[in-house]
Amino acid sequence: MSKKIFIILIAMIAAFCSMTTVRAESSTTIKVWFSQYKSENEALEQIAENYRIETGINVEVISRINIFNAANDLVNNSQLEDRPDIVFMQAPDIGGLIKSNVITNVNDYLDIEELSTRYSSIALDAFKYNGEIYGVGYSIDSYGLIYNKDLISEDELPTTWDEFFETAQALTVVDNDGVVETYGTLLNSKDIWFNYPIIKTYGGYYYGQFSNGDYNAYDIGLNNQGMNDYIEMMKGLMDSNLILTNKIHTESEIVSRFSNGKVAMILYGLWYSSMFKERGINYGIASLPDASTEEVSKALTTVQGFVINNYSLQKESAADFLAYVLADENQQLLIEAGNEFDEKLGTRNPANISVINSVYIQSDTILQSLSSLNDECEAFPNIPEGPIWYNYTPQVLQTIFFGENSGDEVNTQEKLDELVAKIAEDVQLINFQAERIDMPDNIFLYLGLLVIAIFILMFTRKKIQLKKKNIHSKKRLFKSTILAWLLMLPLLILLTIFYLYPIVHNFYLSLTDYSGINMLDYGVIGLANYKNIFVAGLDGLVKMVIWTLCFAICVVTLSFVVGSLLAVFLDSIHFRIAKIYRIIYILPWVIPTVITLLMWQGLLETEFGLVNQFLSIFGISNIPWLENAQWARISTILVMTWFSFPYFMIVSSGMIKLISKDLYDAAKMDGANFARQFIHITLPLIFRAMIPTLIMSFIMQFNQFGVYILTAGGPSSDQIGAPGATDLLITYVFNTAFNTKRYAVAAAYSVIIFVFVGIFALTAMKVNKKRMEV
Amino acid sequence: MKNKFFHLLIHIFLVILGVVTLVPFAYILMISFGKSIVGTQATIPKEFTLNNYIRLFQETSFLDWMTNSLIIATVTMVLSVVFVSVSVYVFSRLKFIGKDKLFNFILLIQIFPLTLSMVSIFKIFVNFGLLNDLKGLILVNATIASAGLVLLAKGYFDTIPYQLDEAAMMDGASRFQILYYILLPLAKPMIAIVSIQSFVIAYNEYVIASTIMTEGLDSMPLAVGLQSMISGQFGTNWSLYCAAAILGSIPMIILFYALQKQFIGGLTEGGVKI
């Protein structure tokens, strides 16, 4: 029997070792990180093969899971032996990379002037930073005026924004009961991405621009008169059926109504075009209405293109291959593959002018009109401060348009001023550079040694106390100690590598200036990050700690009780039926949480959610499950309990098997009913055996990120940047730190939380041990 | 009579909970068969189609992802069972210096959310040459699973009376024999739980996998592949995602079904009593 196990183990180890993939390593191979689309990757591989035949240089094309990770992964991989040379990424991501010296400017390697004659100007502008070009665009991801041809013909399309609103109002059809049959348009008042062209028309803007086209993060135009005018105008339209009336609805609601044929015009991209097609919507895309006959309105655009790794060992060869890829005929191959050839999906909108003029694009009305919008684009700011607005504008605009949570209206100007002040503050934070402290080179080694020393000290203290005992038992203890530590060694090594090292390293990071503009070359700045946290951030956190503790304790207790109760119930009924129940009950545990959380979000919807519809049978009217702060808290606790009760059910099922029947028999003799047996025998016994697990679950709930998918931390607070009602400590502090890309501050937060929860857990263990001993 | 009424109550409770559990799942199932669904509002599709499942195999690398995840999860499961069985024996049956501290140490280090220090994790994987390698994911998942499940298993093991060990020791059994022939068979429910939970952990792990596996669409585990389906720049096809989620959870349901008998059905007729 034990032989069999032994053989299995050996086989496992052998299989494990053979799984190593052998990588061909050659310094002359250019490595390109490319796309998530199979045909597009194949097209680039074909191009690479042609290139190899012409030049003899090998190119390796690597498919990637998605373009959003490109910047982060490049930072991680930029200096590895096996590093990518060319990376396909989004232009808005380049700011931090440039500041951290991760990508190189391509002025010296590519003929920019020649490229600018063959490419739409936005393809290069989007990658322009400090007057230098850092990459070349390949596909332009923009939006325009998407319209339903059955509701509005091409000739009727508005040319100015004033006309746009007039036409939209004229097209809106309301039936006798006040139900809207057709919307002229639908806008999301909380959005400023798709509404940006309108905002600009009124004179509001996000970041101002220097004369060379660079964005100036210190010039924020979201509280000027123009912005005020825009808000006044939108407020005037709130009752006109042109604006989403439910404050939690977003673009997806607009798209969904458009794809049902209910909306004539929307400001959107072609991201859902296949859905429109499937649903038989006869749609078209046209250029945005303009501010006036002289002033063209431009859509905020993300350009996807190629950059070169600054640490590439062969920048020149890489650039040479890049130039080859950028040749007209190769662009044609790529774009056709990217749009799935004859399917012409619209997934890739060419930046190359020759491709735009090709039959492939021109013969398709959608692709053709999409590419004709290229001149009406404004690149999304590629500075590191770019994404800041996103964190605050929806919340601020919600309070402006829908009032505070109490229902009170707010003063627009005050709120906008507050918004701009907050953005400006974050801009400061992003650019704040603390003074570095000179450290010996091997600081890390010392730190490691220190930690090891602490551990040795911790474990040897007991040895000294034991000296009093007699020699015989001491010898036995010594023997079993060696055996125990030997047996634990493999796991301990793994724990050191995968847990202890990250903790120590994280502590080190918390002492540095590691940030979004300093991703590679960070240095030690001492305790500045901790100082920042304690000076600036702690006042609001106490409330959050209380809520987080409350949340974690509630979820663990509830799921433990429900789980054990279920285990007992299932034990008492026929085992075949119990089997079926168990399979059902483990579903929350095994289905990807993302999708189940989204389902719950839908089910808990106030107006149409199934839960409220069901409750209305009993005369309970609309409960704002996710919209009201208190209800949202209850919802998150219940939903998270729903996720974790199966685990406790299974664990308890195993545990109750060990409880002696005698105990129950004795209890029955005493006349204890089922409930009493459960409370006085089952629960305490299971509880005692499960204390470490319960503490672990508590920790896991404390570090719970799932809540965020359900409520996004909301309902949001009236105060900008303050935690929402269901924001947990960890999601909130990390959001605030990551919004400003201060990764070192995030590291410092995690150290603080670690210490806090650690003390909590240790105390719990100690209390428990004392209780067990008594 | 009273008993019957009580049983009825139990069944009502079980059915209600069953419905609460099944409703979100039913929606996922319906959406997975739905035609052209926009958004994730839990709606009932108007038309049904098998198309999403077909597309899953034709257009995405679903099969590769699933294979990768199955390899990772299975090996992780075996490793975790071995690690947990050994360590739980150590903690539950051996008296040794530093025992409480070691136990607390294992508990404490897990407080630190690994997912938040991906820079450090990445460095480790680079140093050990484990980047873009399923082996690395197996090791890290096995560590995470073992560390968490040791705590659970200890609670269980402690409830197995020590007299059994002593009796066997009298008969001249070695420590390994006691563990293998006496304790582990008695701890079958625990091993089943450890197996399932470690499998689920490895199968669903996303954050580390997405940082470590940077190259090649086909070499991703399922969780990363699934996530890529909803974070694309183009409109998410939720039907496709739901289809993948349903198919993806089947291995775990099968595993659970197969191991279920380990923690139900008259197992404890023997001498084990608390």
Side-chain angles (χ1 to χ4, degrees):
Chain A
M1 196 61 173
S2 67
K3 222 182 216 169
K4 221 161 92 191
I5 287 263
F6 188 69
I7 291 167
I8 292 172
L9 271 179
I10 294 285
M12 293 268 324
I13 292 166
F16 194 68
C17 294
S18 65
M19 270 162 48
T20 330
T21 40
V22 184
R23 241 168 233 290
E25 269 185 49
S26 152
S27 62
T28 52
T29 301
I30 297 167
K31 193 169 183 179
V32 186
W33 276 6
F34 194 41
S35 151
Q36 71 203 86
Y37 301 117
K38 275 182 190 164
S39 12
E40 206 176 19
N41 284 317
E42 280 161 16
L44 191 63
E45 269 163 25
Q46 188 54 50
I47 294 168
E49 178 58 19
N50 295 342
Y51 183 72
R52 191 188 61 81
I53 293 167
E54 282 177 35
T55 62
I57 295 173
N58 284 321
V59 179
E60 191 188 357
V61 178
I62 307 274
S63 57
R64 297 261 310 152
I65 197 84
N66 72 45
I67 195 168
F68 303 111
N69 302 341
N72 254 331
D73 286 347
L74 174 59
V75 172
N76 282 338
N77 287 270
S78 60
Q79 290 166 302
L80 299 185
E81 207 171 309
D82 193 23
R83 62 194 78 168
D85 299 294
I86 300 175
V87 176
F88 181 58
M89 68 164 65
Q90 308 205 90
D93 293 339
I94 64 171
L97 298 184
I98 293 166
K99 282 221 165 182
S100 311
N101 283 319
V102 183
I103 59 175
T104 184
N105 89 48
V106 293
N107 294 40
D108 304 337
Y109 301 102
L110 294 173
D111 187 350
I112 299 298
E113 226 165 273
E114 189 266 337
L115 283 172
S116 66
T117 61
R118 291 194 291 116
Y119 278 80
S120 303
S121 58
I122 183 121
L124 293 168
D125 284 348
F127 286 92
K128 197 190 256 175
Y129 193 94
N130 270 341
E132 312 271 353
I133 306 285
Y134 283 86
V136 184
Y138 149 67
S139 171
I140 293 164
D141 195 15
S142 185
Y143 57 87
L145 187 70
I146 295 188
Y147 61 101
N148 186 332
K149 289 180 179 168
D150 296 336
L151 298 173
I152 181 170
S153 73
E154 205 179 335
D155 319 324
E156 293 169 294
L157 288 177
T159 50
T160 66
W161 289 109
D162 290 339
E163 239 182 277
F164 170 77
F165 287 110
E166 277 166 31
T167 318
Q169 242 151 5
L171 285 171
T172 305
V173 181
V174 185
D175 73 6
N176 295 335
D177 302 330
V179 178
V180 184
E181 277 179 357
T182 325
Y183 297 90
T185 188
L186 264 178
L187 299 176
N188 174 9
S189 56
K190 301 182 306 271
D191 162 81
I192 58 173
W193 180 284
F194 298 104
N195 296 349
Y196 196 60
I198 313 178
I199 293 173
K200 266 203 130 176
T201 302
Y202 278 83
Y205 57 90
Y206 175 26
Y207 289 141
Q209 277 169 304
F210 293 115
S211 51
N212 69 353
D214 274 353
Y215 280 97
N216 176 6
Y218 295 91
D219 172 16
I220 305 160
L222 288 176
N223 62 341
N224 59 18
Q225 190 53 45
M227 191 66 190
N228 261 298
D229 294 344
Y230 161 78
I231 285 171
E232 274 319 299
M233 183 277 294
M234 291 289 274
K235 273 191 168 171
L237 291 175
M238 285 303 272
D239 300 322
S240 66
N241 291 319
L242 300 184
I243 306 213
L244 287 179
T245 46
N246 186 323
K247 66 176 173 181
I248 59 169
H249 279 167
T250 58
E251 277 73 31
S252 68
E253 182 65 27
I254 299 175
V255 176
S256 147
R257 290 192 198 168
F258 183 83
S259 66
N260 285 331
K262 294 235 173 218
V263 193
M265 305 178 284
I266 58 174
L267 305 177
Y268 210 66
L270 282 181
W271 307 294
Y272 278 99
S273 57
S274 57
M275 214 65 86
F276 301 157
K277 246 182 239 174
E278 263 181 54
R279 294 214 161 187
I281 301 293
N282 186 10
Y283 70 98
I285 182 162
S287 64
L288 295 169
D290 292 326
S292 64
T293 36
E294 289 93 47
E295 209 189 325
V296 179
S297 278
K298 292 181 170 179
L300 270 186
T301 298
T302 315
V303 177
Q304 287 127 22
F306 299 97
V307 299
I308 296 178
N309 179 0
N310 199 23
Y311 293 92
S312 164
L313 300 172
Q314 40 198 355
K315 280 186 214 168
E316 254 150 59
S317 322
D320 189 58
F321 176 68
L322 183 52
Y324 187 78
V325 172
L326 293 170
D328 295 347
E329 62 274 19
N330 289 331
Q331 285 291 301
Q332 187 80 38
L333 289 174
L334 283 177
I335 289 289
E336 286 185 19
N339 285 303
E340 290 295 334
F341 308 103
D342 290 340
E343 285 183 44
K344 302 201 175 177
L345 294 177
T347 33
R348 296 283 187 227
N349 174 29
N352 181 295
I353 293 168
S354 144
V355 180
I356 295 174
N357 293 327
S358 70
V359 182
Y360 179 79
I361 296 291
Q362 294 298 325
S363 64
D364 184 274
T365 47
I366 298 289
L367 289 185
Q368 185 266 331
S369 19
L370 186 63
S371 62
S372 70
L373 302 180
N374 284 4
D375 298 326
E376 296 176 18
C377 294
E378 177 174 342
F380 185 82
N382 59 16
I383 49 178
E385 297 90 344
I388 292 180
W389 65 342
Y390 237 66
N391 311 319
Y392 306 120
T393 48
Q395 186 200 351
V396 168
L397 291 174
Q398 184 182 315
T399 37
I400 288 176
F401 285 106
F402 297 95
E404 290 189 338
N405 290 330
S406 57
D408 294 345
E409 287 217 16
V410 290
N411 181 316
T412 305
Q413 187 62 48
E414 272 172 26
K415 212 68 201 170
L416 289 177
D417 289 343
E418 219 179 293
L419 168 71
V420 168
K422 189 72 196 169
I423 295 177
E425 191 189 316
D426 276 7
V427 170
Q428 294 281 355
L429 283 175
I430 284 190
N431 291 293
F432 174 75
Q433 301 260 34
E435 191 114 355
R436 284 194 188 172
I437 302 167
D438 279 331
M439 281 279 158
D441 290 341
N442 31 20
I443 171 78
F444 215 41
L445 187 77
Y446 294 135
L447 223 81
L449 285 177
L450 189 77
V451 171
I452 292 170
I454 290 171
F455 274 108
I456 292 173
L457 263 174
M458 266 177 66
F459 284 116
T460 42
R461 233 182 52 208
K462 193 146 194 180
K463 229 183 211 166
I464 301 156
Q465 294 168 359
L466 279 163
K467 272 191 178 151
K468 293 163 203 155
K469 292 198 175 172
N470 70 57
I471 295 172
H472 181 67
S473 74
K474 211 179 118 189
K475 215 173 180 181
R476 252 182 51 196
L477 180 70
F478 192 66
K479 243 173 98 180
S480 68
T481 301
I482 290 180
L483 179 69
W485 284 87
L486 264 178
L487 285 173
M488 288 301 291
L489 198 62
L491 186 61
L492 280 181
I493 291 173
L494 285 176
L495 286 173
T496 313
I497 296 174
F498 291 119
Y499 274 103
L500 199 53
Y501 174 81
I503 295 174
V504 176
H505 188 242
N506 195 75
F507 178 65
Y508 161 74
L509 282 182
S510 73
L511 303 174
T512 67
D513 56 357
Y514 171 49
S515 76
I517 57 166
N518 223 341
M519 291 194 272
L520 289 175
D521 183 33
Y522 41 85
V524 175
I525 56 165
L527 293 171
N529 293 322
Y530 291 92
K531 210 176 109 192
N532 281 345
I533 291 173
F534 284 108
V535 169
L538 277 191
D539 44 333
L541 291 186
V542 180
K543 224 169 115 190
M544 293 210 62
V545 173
I546 295 171
W547 155 239
T548 310
L549 279 175
C550 174
F551 166 82
I553 290 171
C554 285
V555 172
V556 174
T557 316
L558 267 178
S559 21
F560 170 68
V561 173
V562 173
S564 336
L565 201 60
L566 267 183
V568 176
F569 281 175
L570 289 173
D571 198 46
S572 72
I573 63 171
H574 194 275
F575 76 97
R576 277 185 212 282
I577 304 170
K579 242 178 168 174
I580 298 165
Y581 275 125
R582 278 204 194 88
I583 291 286
I584 293 172
Y585 293 145
I586 59 145
L587 288 175
W589 192 30
V590 297
I591 295 190
T593 46
V594 176
I595 184 68
T596 24
L597 279 169
L598 289 171
M599 285 301 125
W600 273 114
Q601 202 181 44
L603 292 172
L604 292 172
E605 234 236 73
T606 310
E607 263 174 85
F608 306 105
L610 194 71
V611 175
N612 274 345
Q613 278 179 26
F614 176 74
L615 289 177
S616 68
I617 299 173
F618 304 99
I620 301 168
S621 60
N622 293 355
I623 295 173
W625 288 107
L626 297 173
E627 286 162 48
N628 169 284
Q630 288 311 326
W631 281 110
R633 291 200 174 112
I634 293 171
S635 309
T636 45
I637 290 175
L638 289 179
V639 171
M640 287 302 146
T641 304
W642 184 82
F643 275 101
S644 50
F645 86 84
Y647 178 65
F648 285 99
M649 173 191 82
I650 290 166
V651 175
S652 310
S653 291
M655 297 275 183
I656 54 171
K657 280 289 140 198
L658 283 177
I659 299 174
S660 161
K661 290 273 182 287
D662 300 349
L663 281 175
Y664 289 113
D665 292 342
K668 264 180 205 156
M669 296 272 216
D670 294 346
N673 60 14
F674 186 86
R676 275 175 157 246
Q677 285 173 35
F678 179 72
I679 293 169
H680 292 293
I681 302 174
T682 321
L683 217 50
L685 284 176
I686 300 177
F687 179 74
R688 210 166 64 196
M690 277 176 66
I691 282 171
T693 314
L694 288 169
I695 294 174
M696 261 320 288
S697 305
F698 170 79
I699 293 166
M700 264 154 71
Q701 292 303 333
F702 202 90
N703 294 337
Q704 175 68 256
F705 279 82
V707 172
Y708 220 72
I709 303 172
L710 184 70
T711 63
S716 53
S717 151
D718 292 330
Q719 201 192 335
I720 300 182
T726 57
D727 250 324
L728 294 179
L729 184 61
I730 202 139
T731 51
Y732 175 70
V733 296
F734 282 93
N735 264 338
T736 42
F738 273 84
N739 281 348
T740 44
K741 307 185 183 193
R742 294 173 301 154
Y743 305 129
V745 176
Y749 269 125
S750 57
V751 171
I752 294 172
I753 294 175
F754 177 63
V755 172
F756 176 75
V757 184
I759 290 170
F760 192 89
L762 266 190
T763 320
M765 288 296 281
K766 276 235 169 77
V767 168
N768 169 50
K769 224 188 141 197
K770 276 219 181 93
R771 248 188 41 194
M772 299 275 268
E773 278 162 6
V774 167
Chain B
M1 187 62 204
K2 198 187 163 198
N3 209 12
K4 248 191 185 158
F5 175 70
F6 189 66
H7 259 257
L8 190 71
L9 272 185
I10 287 183
H11 276 285
I12 289 173
F13 176 80
L14 291 177
V15 167
I16 290 176
L17 198 67
V19 169
V20 172
T21 315
L22 275 177
V23 164
F25 177 74
Y27 273 108
I28 298 173
L29 198 65
M30 280 193 290
I31 292 176
S32 81
F33 285 108
K35 209 175 165 188
S36 41
I37 303 240
V38 182
T40 53
Q41 298 94 331
T43 46
I44 299 167
K46 291 190 185 79
E47 285 175 85
F48 290 91
T49 169
L50 263 178
N51 208 10
N52 301 313
Y53 287 87
I54 298 167
R55 282 182 62 192
L56 200 59
F57 290 98
Q58 281 174 350
E59 291 172 25
T60 71
S61 310
F62 182 76
L63 266 185
D64 292 308
W65 296 340
M66 189 125 161
T67 316
N68 293 332
S69 279
L70 281 177
I71 294 172
I72 295 172
T74 314
V75 184
T76 299
M77 180 176 84
V78 177
L79 283 178
S80 307
V81 168
V82 174
F83 279 139
V84 170
S85 310
V86 172
S87 352
V88 80
Y89 178 80
V90 170
F91 277 123
S92 180
R93 290 302 192 255
L94 292 180
K95 276 205 175 101
F96 64 99
I97 299 168
K99 179 170 160 178
D100 289 346
K101 296 231 165 83
L102 187 63
F103 191 72
N104 284 347
F105 166 75
I106 292 180
L107 181 109
L108 276 183
I109 51 171
Q110 290 178 74
I111 291 169
F112 193 84
L114 272 192
T115 48
L116 295 173
S117 87
M118 287 322 299
V119 196
S120 331
I121 293 271
F122 188 86
K123 285 218 156 91
I124 294 163
F125 276 76
V126 171
N127 287 333
F128 286 89
L130 292 171
L131 228 49
N132 291 310
D133 192 339
L134 295 188
K135 261 195 310 190
L137 285 180
I138 291 171
L139 280 179
V140 76
N141 283 324
T143 314
I144 293 173
S146 310
L149 291 168
V150 164
L151 307 178
L152 168 72
K154 184 180 180 282
Y156 195 91
F157 241 66
D158 283 347
T159 58
I160 302 174
Y162 194 61
Q163 289 93 308
L164 286 174
D165 296 47
E166 282 171 346
M169 237 183 272
M170 295 282 194
D171 295 342
S174 72
R175 282 190 192 283
F176 177 78
Q177 281 170 328
I178 295 173
L179 175 67
Y180 189 73
Y181 289 107
I182 299 174
L183 298 179
L184 288 185
L186 283 173
K188 260 187 193 164
M190 179 212 87
I191 294 172
I193 293 164
V194 169
S195 309
I196 298 169
Q197 176 71 343
S198 56
F199 190 92
V200 172
I201 288 175
Y203 199 82
N204 287 338
E205 201 287 324
Y206 166 72
V207 183
I208 296 177
S210 68
T211 312
I212 301 313
M213 309 298 284
T214 53
E215 300 188 338
L217 261 172
D218 301 344
S219 52
M220 300 293 157
L222 185 61
V224 180
L226 270 180
Q227 193 65 23
S228 80
M229 290 168 74
I230 50 174
S231 58
Q233 76 227 56
F234 294 97
T236 301
N237 188 332
W238 286 104
S239 297
L240 206 59
Y241 181 86
C242 287
I246 298 268
L247 287 188
S249 42
I250 287 176
M252 288 179 281
I253 295 176
I254 292 176
L255 180 76
F256 180 81
Y257 189 77
L259 291 177
Q260 207 190 137
K261 65 170 184 290
Q262 300 300 334
F263 47 84
I264 53 165
L267 186 94
T268 48
E269 262 89 76
V272 188
K273 298 277 150 80
I274 288 187

